[in-house]
Amino acid sequence: MTTHEPDYRFTRPGALIAALPAVLGFVPVRSLVLVSLEHGEMGAVMRVDLSRAVDGDLSHLADLASASGADRAVAVIVDAEGAQCPMCNQDYRDLCDALTTALSTHDMELYAGHVVDRIEAGGRWHCVDGCGAFGTVEDPMASPLAAAAVLEGRRLYPRREDLQAVVDLADAERSAALVPVIDEYAEAREARWRADPDDCGRRDVEAVMAVSARVCEGAELDDAELAGLACALTDVAVRDTLYALAVGADAGRAETLWALLARTLPEPWRAEALVLLAFSAYARGDGPLAGLSLDAALRSDPEHRMAGMLDTALQSGMRPEQIRELAGTGYRLAKRLGVRLPPRRSFGRRAV
């Protein structure tokens, strides 16, 4: 997972550590977090489970850090038990030595390494290399990045598992029961599509926008409605038009619907909802949700072209403003179909 926030410069470890939940979308525990620095500013941020970092190859982490164009990085090791164990510090030194070696292959420097027991106000951190530096973590909710995230509609989760639940299938039995309903609906839709593809596509896009508004008002969708939405997402013209909703005034409504469909639809229809959710999250700067959505989509369909392209972009640190340019295709398709989409909204600079 990578994220970017070029508008914030951190000179205090306690402030940098406090900013991590806002960047990652959740409070990391038992983790190695690598923060790349671009000209002294926070660049790409990556997290791996601490157990994997200790036992695994760190070259991929170094590859991701270097892709952002940074020349140095800071390692933050989050370990509640180990932070209180003086003997454990040698393990942290070994980990940072391995990370230094991996980064050096990309001409990057490990600028500093910190160990912290917990990322909350009053958490304790100290340096890994025995320099004697130590201190307390500032309040994560008072971080400038936390304020920016809240203003832009991002939710901060207490655990990674809570964020994961946004994209996980909620009810496998109901999902499986939808398969015959979708198949039956698909037959009827095929006949309408053959008669007039543009009219069929226009009706589907308008239906999606109407349903997204209802869902945001608390409406529950029946099986027939879910089947109709599933089939609409498999129409290339409809799906590519819907990507434009991510940059429109009603982007929040659309994203709520994509998340609902990702938790409800069976495969292979679920993959399309996951990719739409990923694109929407990426466009507004929510790299953590985009990354989890893409992971799930690629597990479902490893050959999905849009999922693969977005995953490559996210891993390489491509910024949201570049991704949002893809929505232009959706507006052009909407014009061809005769659909009026919500107007584009303005975006400030935000994290990925």
Side-chain angles (χ1 to χ4, degrees), residues 200-348:
C200 185
R202 179 173 60 257
R203 289 175 181 272
D204 280 342
V205 173
E206 290 172 344
V208 166
M209 292 191 291
V211 169
S212 68
R214 289 177 47 227
V215 166
C216 284
E217 293 171 356
E220 294 188 7
L221 305 183
D222 60 30
D223 288 359
E225 289 176 303
L226 290 168
L229 293 168
C231 292
L233 300 190
T234 60
D235 184 317
V236 175
V238 172
R239 181 195 64 206
D240 289 355
T241 301
L242 294 175
Y243 283 120
L245 296 180
V247 301
D250 295 334
R253 291 180 176 180
E255 187 170 318
T256 298
L257 179 59
W258 308 147
L260 172 65
L261 296 179
R263 295 191 300 269
T264 308
L265 294 180
E267 306 295 357
W269 301 279
R270 177 171 180 261
E272 300 300 344
L274 283 164
V275 179
L276 282 161
L277 175 60
F279 184 80
S280 182
Y282 199 161
R284 67 178 172 81
D286 193 339
L289 179 56
L292 289 178
S293 302
L294 291 170
D295 286 346
L298 289 170
R299 285 196 302 271
S300 170
D301 181 3
E303 303 301 319
H304 196 291
R305 292 182 62 186
M306 186 64 163
M309 184 195 73
L310 290 175
D311 186 60
T312 298
L314 188 65
Q315 295 292 342
S316 65
M318 186 176 290
R319 301 181 187 278
E321 54 266 29
Q322 295 172 281
I323 289 298
R324 291 196 289 266
E325 293 176 3
L326 298 175
T329 299
Y331 278 95
R332 289 191 291 272
L333 286 170
K335 185 176 181 179
R336 193 200 77 188
L337 292 175
V339 178
R340 185 175 182 179
L341 297 180
R344 286 176 179 263
R345 62 191 179 108
S346 61
F347 287 86

Side-chain angles (χ1 to χ4, degrees), residues 20 24 28 31-35 45-48 61 74-78 99 119:
L20 297 181
L24 295 172
S31 300
L32 168 64
V33 182
L34 187 65
V35 181
V45 177
M46 295 134 286
R47 188 212 71 93
V48 294
L61 201 62
V74 172
V76 178
I77 299 168
V78 189
L99 192 54
I119 301 183

Side-chain angles (χ1 to χ4, degrees), residues 60-251:
H60 181 58
L61 201 62
D63 292 343
L64 293 176
S66 67
S68 69
D71 57 2
R72 56 177 55 182
V74 172
V76 178
I77 299 168
V78 189
D79 186 3
E81 295 182 5
Q84 309 301 325
C85 168
M87 295 182 62
C88 297
N89 212 56
Q90 185 57 50
D91 294 334
Y92 302 143
R93 287 196 190 98
D94 293 342
L95 177 58
C96 287
D97 287 344
L99 192 54
T100 296
T101 300
L103 290 169
S104 68
T105 63
H106 298 283
D107 296 322
M108 291 186 66
E109 170 194 3
L110 185 62
Y111 179 71
H114 308 300
V115 180
V116 63
D117 57 355
R118 65 194 190 281
I119 301 183
E120 61 181 57
R124 303 288 299 180
W125 66 267
H126 65 266
C127 68
V128 173
D129 60 9
C131 70
F134 65 92
T136 58
V137 178
E138 297 181 15
D139 184 357
M141 293 310 297
S143 164
L145 288 180
V150 171
L151 286 173
E152 295 180 356
R154 288 183 55 190
R155 181 178 175 185
L156 305 183
Y157 294 86
R159 302 178 305 159
R160 186 177 188 275
E161 292 79 4
D162 297 321
L163 176 59
Q164 182 70 52
V166 175
V167 301
D168 282 348
L169 199 63
D171 186 338
E173 289 187 4
R174 189 193 182 195
S175 176
L178 284 171
V179 173
V181 183
I182 296 173
D183 286 341
E184 182 179 353
Y185 189 97
E187 279 191 44
R189 185 186 185 281
E190 176 70 14
R192 294 196 301 273
W193 184 87
R194 289 184 178 279
D196 190 336
D198 286 351
D199 181 67
C200 185
R202 179 173 60 257
R203 289 175 181 272
D204 280 342
V205 173
E206 290 172 344
V208 166
M209 292 191 291
V211 169
S212 68
R214 289 177 47 227
V215 166
C216 284
E217 293 171 356
E220 294 188 7
L221 305 183
D222 60 30
D223 288 359
E225 289 176 303
L226 290 168
L229 293 168
C231 292
L233 300 190
T234 60
D235 184 317
V236 175
V238 172
R239 181 195 64 206
D240 289 355
T241 301
L242 294 175
Y243 283 120
L245 296 180
V247 301
D250 295 334

Side-chain angles (χ1 to χ4, degrees), residues 38-62:
E38 303 175 24
H39 308 294
E41 298 175 345
M42 180 180 281
V45 177
M46 295 134 286
R47 188 212 71 93
V48 294
D49 291 339
L50 188 55
S51 58
R52 287 181 57 194
V54 170
D55 299 330
D57 183 1
L58 297 174
S59 59
H60 181 58
L61 201 62

